[in-house]
């Protein structure tokens, strides 16, 4: 999937395969609908990032190796990059179950957020545990009827974009 093929006007919260190459898969964990005025607040996202990384790095999750878990700049979700997992994506796939377990971990978390000090975090004062729990619960609720297939823009042609720019795409 190429980023500009996705129709953001029809994109719903869900889990999508953004890219798969060789042994690495990039997943789009879309928490909210794009362009609908509701975005994840930065402090809650930051806390989800810390707790999600702590959870995913602290366990052997169905032989899935975590490469990266971090926020989207659009504040609509997170990217999860893993190695050692193969398609397909469905309600019983190990990666989907791991994502749901991570969300439950965030919802139930009590105590000090891992890595929230000046030595380990470049913005350690901007966290919101209550907000992270709320957004994790909202997303977990959305995943009861998950969306796995990206809506694709009709008529999108990458070559026409390159032609408009006066260059050849490869």
């Amino acid at each position: 999937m190429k980023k500009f093929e996705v129709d953001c006007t029809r994109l719903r919260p869900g889990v999508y395969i953004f890219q798969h190459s060789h042994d690495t898969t990039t997943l789009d964990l879309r928490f909210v609908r794009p362009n609908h005025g509701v975005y994840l607040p930065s402090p809650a996202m930051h806390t989800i990032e810390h707790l999600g990384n702590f959870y995913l790095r602290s366990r052997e999750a169905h032989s899935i190796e975590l490469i990266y878990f971090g926020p989207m700049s659009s504040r609509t979700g997170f990217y999860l990059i893993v190695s050692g997992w193969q398609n397909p994506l469905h309600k019983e796939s190990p990666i989907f179950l791991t994502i749901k377990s991570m969300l439950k971990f965030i919802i139930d978390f009590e105590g000090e957020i891992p890595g929230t000090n000046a030595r380990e975090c470049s913005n350690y004062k901007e966290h919101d545990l209550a907000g992270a729990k709320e957004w994790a619960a909202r997303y977990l609720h959305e995943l009861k009827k998950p969306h796995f297939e990206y809506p694709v823009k009709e008529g999108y042609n990458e070559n026409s974009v390159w032609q408009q720019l006066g260059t050849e795409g490869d």
Side-chain angles (χ1 to χ4, degrees):
M1 176 60 59
K2 295 193 177 173
K3 180 174 177 50
F4 298 110
E5 291 178 22
V6 176
D7 184 346
C8 289
T9 65
R10 297 186 299 137
L11 187 58
R12 301 282 190 264
V15 178
Y16 303 94
I17 297 173
F18 182 70
Q19 186 175 23
H20 181 76
S21 61
H22 306 290
D23 193 37
T24 302
T25 304
T26 302
L27 296 158
D28 171 340
L29 280 57
R30 191 65 62 149
F31 276 50
V32 299
R33 275 186 84 180
N35 304 313
H36 278 259
V38 177
Y39 302 97
L40 296 165
S42 294
M45 283 189 85
H46 195 188
T47 303
I48 291 169
E49 177 189 13
H50 276 244
L51 293 175
N53 273 294
F54 180 79
Y55 178 80
L56 294 167
R57 293 181 191 283
S58 297
R59 59 186 305 248
E60 294 288 325
H62 306 281
S63 70
I64 297 164
E65 179 187 347
L66 174 68
I67 295 172
Y68 174 79
F69 175 70
M72 296 177 182
S73 60
S74 64
R75 295 184 15 238
T76 58
F78 294 83
Y79 287 114
L80 173 61
I81 304 174
V82 296
S83 179
W85 173 74
Q86 300 296 317
N87 303 347
L89 182 58
H90 54 79
K91 283 180 119 175
E92 299 302 320
S93 65
I95 192 68
F96 186 70
L97 297 175
T98 298
I99 291 165
K100 287 174 57 176
S101 292
M102 176 191 73
L103 294 167
K104 290 174 187 170
F105 171 79
I106 293 168
I107 293 164
D108 294 338
F109 186 83
E110 295 295 332
E112 186 177 328
I113 301 161
T116 54
N117 61 65
R119 291 187 111 153
E120 297 176 301
C121 179
S122 58
N123 191 9
Y124 75 98
K125 292 182 180 180
E126 187 177 56
H127 282 275
D128 178 5
L129 181 57
K133 289 176 175 231
E134 177 187 338
W135 282 101
R138 285 184 186 191
Y139 186 50
L140 186 60
H141 179 77
E142 289 285 350
L143 294 183
K144 287 182 179 180
K145 293 183 181 177
H147 294 275
F148 294 121
E149 297 291 325
Y150 273 125
V152 177
K153 289 191 292 191
E154 292 182 31
Y156 177 79
N157 181 342
E158 183 177 321
N159 289 330
S160 68
V161 174
W162 285 110
Q163 289 170 353
Q164 288 173 8
L165 297 171
T167 61
E168 295 287 326
D170 51 274

